[in-house]
Coordinates of all heavy atoms in Angstrom, one line a residue:
W288 N 5.0 -11.4 -0.4 CA 4.4 -12.3 -1.4 C 4.1 -13.7 -0.8 O 4.7 -14.1 0.2 CB 5.3 -12.6 -2.6 CG 5.9 -11.3 -3.2 CD1 5.4 -10.6 -4.3 CD2 7.1 -10.6 -2.8 NE1 6.2 -9.6 -4.6 CE2 7.2 -9.5 -3.7 CE3 8.0 -10.8 -1.8 CZ2 8.3 -8.6 -3.6 CZ3 9.1 -9.8 -1.7 CH2 9.2 -8.8 -2.6
T290 N 3.4 -17.9 -1.8 CA 3.3 -19.0 -2.7 C 2.6 -20.1 -1.9 O 2.1 -19.9 -0.8 CB 4.7 -19.5 -3.1 OG1 5.4 -20.1 -2.0 CG2 5.6 -18.3 -3.6
V293 N 5.5 -20.7 0.9 CA 6.4 -19.6 1.4 C 5.7 -18.3 1.6 O 4.9 -17.9 0.7 CB 7.6 -19.4 0.4 CG1 8.4 -18.2 0.8 CG2 8.5 -20.7 0.4
A295 N 7.1 -14.6 1.7 CA 8.4 -13.9 1.5 C 8.2 -12.4 1.8 O 7.2 -11.8 1.5 CB 8.8 -14.1 0.0
E301 N 17.7 -7.4 1.9 CA 17.5 -8.9 1.8 C 16.0 -9.1 1.5 O 15.2 -8.3 1.8 CB 18.0 -9.6 3.0 CG 17.2 -9.3 4.3 CD 17.6 -10.1 5.5 OE1 18.6 -10.7 5.4 OE2 16.9 -10.0 6.5
I302 N 15.8 -10.3 1.0 CA 14.4 -10.9 0.9 C 14.5 -12.2 1.6 O 15.3 -13.1 1.2 CB 13.9 -11.0 -0.5 CG1 13.9 -9.6 -1.2 CG2 12.5 -11.6 -0.6 CD1 13.6 -9.6 -2.7
V303 N 13.6 -12.5 2.5 CA 13.6 -13.7 3.2 C 12.3 -14.5 3.0 O 11.2 -14.0 3.0 CB 13.7 -13.5 4.8 CG1 13.7 -14.8 5.6 CG2 15.0 -12.7 5.0
G304 N 12.4 -15.8 2.8 CA 11.3 -16.7 2.6 C 11.1 -17.5 3.9 O 12.0 -18.1 4.4
K313 N 13.3 -20.3 5.4 CA 13.5 -21.3 4.4 C 14.7 -20.9 3.4 O 15.4 -21.7 2.9 CB 12.3 -21.6 3.5 CG 11.1 -22.1 4.4 CD 9.9 -22.6 3.5 CE 10.3 -23.9 2.8 NZ 9.1 -24.5 2.2
W314 N 14.8 -19.6 3.2 CA 15.9 -19.1 2.4 C 16.0 -17.6 2.6 O 15.1 -16.9 3.1 CB 15.7 -19.4 0.9 CG 14.3 -19.1 0.3 CD1 13.3 -19.9 0.1 CD2 13.8 -17.8 -0.1 NE1 12.2 -19.3 -0.5 CE2 12.5 -18.0 -0.6 CE3 14.4 -16.5 -0.1 CZ2 11.7 -16.9 -1.0 CZ3 13.6 -15.4 -0.5 CH2 12.3 -15.6 -1.0
T315 N 17.2 -17.1 2.2 CA 17.5 -15.7 2.3 C 18.2 -15.2 1.0 O 19.2 -15.9 0.6 CB 18.3 -15.3 3.5 OG1 17.7 -15.7 4.7 CG2 18.6 -13.8 3.5
I316 N 17.7 -14.2 0.4 CA 18.4 -13.6 -0.8 C 19.0 -12.3 -0.3 O 18.4 -11.3 0.1 CB 17.4 -13.3 -1.9 CG1 16.7 -14.6 -2.4 CG2 18.1 -12.6 -3.1 CD1 15.6 -14.3 -3.4
D317 N 20.4 -12.3 -0.3 CA 21.1 -11.0 0.1 C 21.2 -10.1 -1.1 O 21.5 -10.5 -2.2 CB 22.5 -11.4 0.6 CG 22.4 -12.1 1.9 OD1 21.6 -11.8 2.8 OD2 23.2 -13.1 2.1
L318 N 20.9 -8.8 -0.9 CA 21.0 -7.8 -1.9 C 22.1 -6.8 -1.5 O 22.3 -6.6 -0.3 CB 19.7 -7.1 -2.1 CG 18.5 -8.0 -2.5 CD1 17.2 -7.2 -2.5 CD2 18.7 -8.5 -3.9
T330 N 4.4 -14.2 -11.3 CA 4.1 -15.1 -12.4 C 3.6 -16.4 -12.0 O 3.6 -16.8 -10.8 CB 5.4 -15.3 -13.2 OG1 6.4 -16.0 -12.4 CG2 6.0 -13.9 -13.6
D332 N 4.9 -19.2 -12.3 CA 6.0 -20.0 -11.7 C 6.7 -19.3 -10.5 O 7.8 -19.5 -10.2 CB 7.0 -20.5 -12.7 CG 7.6 -19.3 -13.5 OD1 7.2 -18.2 -13.3 OD2 8.6 -19.5 -14.2
N333 N 5.9 -18.4 -9.9 CA 6.3 -17.7 -8.6 C 7.6 -16.9 -8.8 O 8.5 -16.9 -7.9 CB 6.6 -18.8 -7.6 CG 5.3 -19.5 -7.1 OD1 4.3 -18.8 -6.9 ND2 5.3 -20.8 -7.1
K334 N 7.6 -16.0 -9.8 CA 8.7 -15.1 -9.9 C 8.1 -13.7 -9.8 O 7.0 -13.4 -10.3 CB 9.4 -15.2 -11.3 CG 10.2 -16.5 -11.3 CD 11.0 -16.6 -12.6 CE 11.9 -17.9 -12.7 NZ 11.1 -19.1 -12.6
T335 N 8.8 -12.7 -9.2 CA 8.4 -11.4 -9.1 C 9.6 -10.4 -9.3 O 10.7 -10.9 -9.6 CB 7.8 -11.2 -7.6 OG1 7.1 -9.9 -7.6 CG2 8.8 -11.2 -6.6
A336 N 9.3 -9.1 -9.2 CA 10.4 -8.2 -9.5 C 10.4 -7.1 -8.5 O 9.4 -6.7 -7.9 CB 10.1 -7.5 -10.9
V337 N 11.6 -6.6 -8.2 CA 11.9 -5.5 -7.3 C 12.9 -4.5 -7.9 O 13.6 -4.9 -8.8 CB 12.4 -6.0 -5.9 CG1 11.5 -6.9 -5.3 CG2 13.8 -6.6 -6.1
H339 N 16.1 -2.1 -6.5 CA 16.9 -1.9 -5.2 C 18.1 -1.1 -5.5 O 18.5 -0.8 -6.7 CB 17.3 -3.3 -4.7 CG 18.2 -4.1 -5.5 ND1 19.6 -4.0 -5.5 CD2 18.0 -5.1 -6.5 CE1 20.1 -4.8 -6.3 NE2 19.2 -5.5 -6.9
V355 N 17.2 -3.4 -11.2 CA 15.9 -4.1 -11.3 C 16.2 -5.6 -11.3 O 17.1 -6.1 -12.1 CB 15.2 -3.8 -12.7 CG1 13.9 -4.6 -12.8 CG2 14.9 -2.3 -12.7
A356 N 15.6 -6.3 -10.4 CA 16.0 -7.7 -10.2 C 14.7 -8.6 -10.3 O 13.6 -8.2 -9.8 CB 16.6 -7.9 -8.8
L357 N 14.9 -9.8 -10.9 CA 13.9 -10.8 -10.9 C 14.1 -11.8 -9.8 O 15.3 -12.3 -9.7 CB 13.8 -11.5 -12.3 CG 12.7 -12.5 -12.5 CD1 11.4 -11.8 -12.7 CD2 13.0 -13.4 -13.6
I358 N 13.1 -12.1 -9.0 CA 13.3 -12.9 -7.8 C 12.4 -14.2 -8.0 O 11.3 -14.1 -8.3 CB 12.8 -12.2 -6.5 CG1 13.6 -10.9 -6.4 CG2 13.0 -13.1 -5.3 CD1 15.1 -11.0 -6.2
D359 N 13.1 -15.3 -7.7 CA 12.4 -16.6 -7.7 C 11.9 -16.9 -6.3 O 12.8 -17.2 -5.4 CB 13.3 -17.7 -8.3 CG 12.5 -19.1 -8.5 OD1 11.6 -19.3 -7.7 OD2 12.9 -19.8 -9.4
L360 N 10.6 -16.8 -6.0 CA 10.2 -16.9 -4.7 C 10.1 -18.4 -4.2 O 10.1 -18.6 -3.0 CB 8.7 -16.3 -4.6 CG 8.6 -14.8 -4.8 CD1 7.2 -14.4 -4.9 CD2 9.4 -14.0 -3.8
E361 N 10.1 -19.3 -5.1 CA 10.0 -20.7 -4.7 C 11.4 -21.2 -4.4 O 11.7 -21.9 -3.4 CB 9.4 -21.6 -5.8 CG 8.8 -22.9 -5.3 CD 7.7 -22.7 -4.2 OE1 6.8 -22.0 -4.4 OE2 7.8 -23.4 -3.2
A362 N 12.4 -20.9 -5.3 CA 13.7 -21.4 -5.2 C 14.5 -20.5 -4.2 O 15.5 -21.0 -3.7 CB 14.4 -21.4 -6.5
G363 N 14.1 -19.3 -4.0 CA 14.8 -18.4 -3.1 C 16.1 -17.9 -3.7 O 17.1 -17.9 -3.0
K364 N 16.0 -17.4 -4.9 CA 17.3 -16.9 -5.5 C 17.0 -15.7 -6.4 O 15.8 -15.5 -6.9 CB 18.0 -17.9 -6.3 CG 17.2 -18.4 -7.5 CD 18.0 -19.5 -8.2 CE 17.3 -20.0 -9.5 NZ 18.0 -21.0 -10.2
E365 N 18.0 -14.9 -6.6 CA 17.9 -13.8 -7.6 C 18.2 -14.4 -9.0 O 19.3 -14.9 -9.2 CB 18.8 -12.6 -7.2 CG 18.8 -11.5 -8.2 CD 19.8 -10.4 -7.8 OE1 19.4 -9.5 -7.0 OE2 20.9 -10.4 -8.4
V366 N 17.3 -14.3 -9.9 CA 17.4 -14.8 -11.2 C 18.3 -14.0 -12.1 O 19.3 -14.4 -12.7 CB 16.1 -15.1 -11.9 CG1 16.3 -15.7 -13.3 CG2 15.2 -16.0 -11.1
W367 N 18.1 -12.7 -12.1 CA 18.9 -11.7 -12.8 C 18.7 -10.3 -12.2 O 17.7 -10.0 -11.6 CB 18.7 -11.7 -14.3 CG 17.3 -11.6 -14.8 CD1 16.5 -12.6 -15.4 CD2 16.5 -10.4 -14.9 NE1 15.3 -12.1 -15.8 CE2 15.2 -10.8 -15.5 CE3 16.6 -9.1 -14.5 CZ2 14.2 -9.9 -15.7 CZ3 15.6 -8.2 -14.7 CH2 14.4 -8.6 -15.3
S368 N 19.7 -9.4 -12.5 CA 19.6 -8.0 -12.1 C 20.1 -7.2 -13.2 O 21.1 -7.5 -13.8 CB 20.5 -7.8 -10.8 OG 20.4 -6.4 -10.4
V403 N 11.2 -11.8 -18.9 CA 11.3 -12.5 -17.6 C 12.2 -13.7 -17.7 O 13.1 -13.9 -16.9 CB 9.9 -12.9 -17.1 CG1 10.0 -13.9 -16.0 CG2 9.0 -11.8 -16.7
A404 N 12.1 -14.5 -18.8 CA 12.8 -15.7 -18.9 C 14.3 -15.5 -19.0 O 15.1 -16.2 -18.4 CB 12.3 -16.5 -20.1

Side-chain angles (χ1 to χ4, degrees):
W288 308 268
T290 73
V293 171
E301 67 178 8
I302 300 174
V303 179
K313 301 189 72 169
W314 49 258
T315 300
I316 300 171
D317 292 319
L318 300 171
T330 65
D332 58 350
N333 294 314
K334 292 182 176 64
T335 192
V337 301
H339 65 86
V355 177
L357 185 74
I358 304 298
D359 188 327
L360 297 171
E361 202 61 50
K364 66 179 183 180
E365 181 182 274
V366 181
W367 50 254
S368 182
V403 168

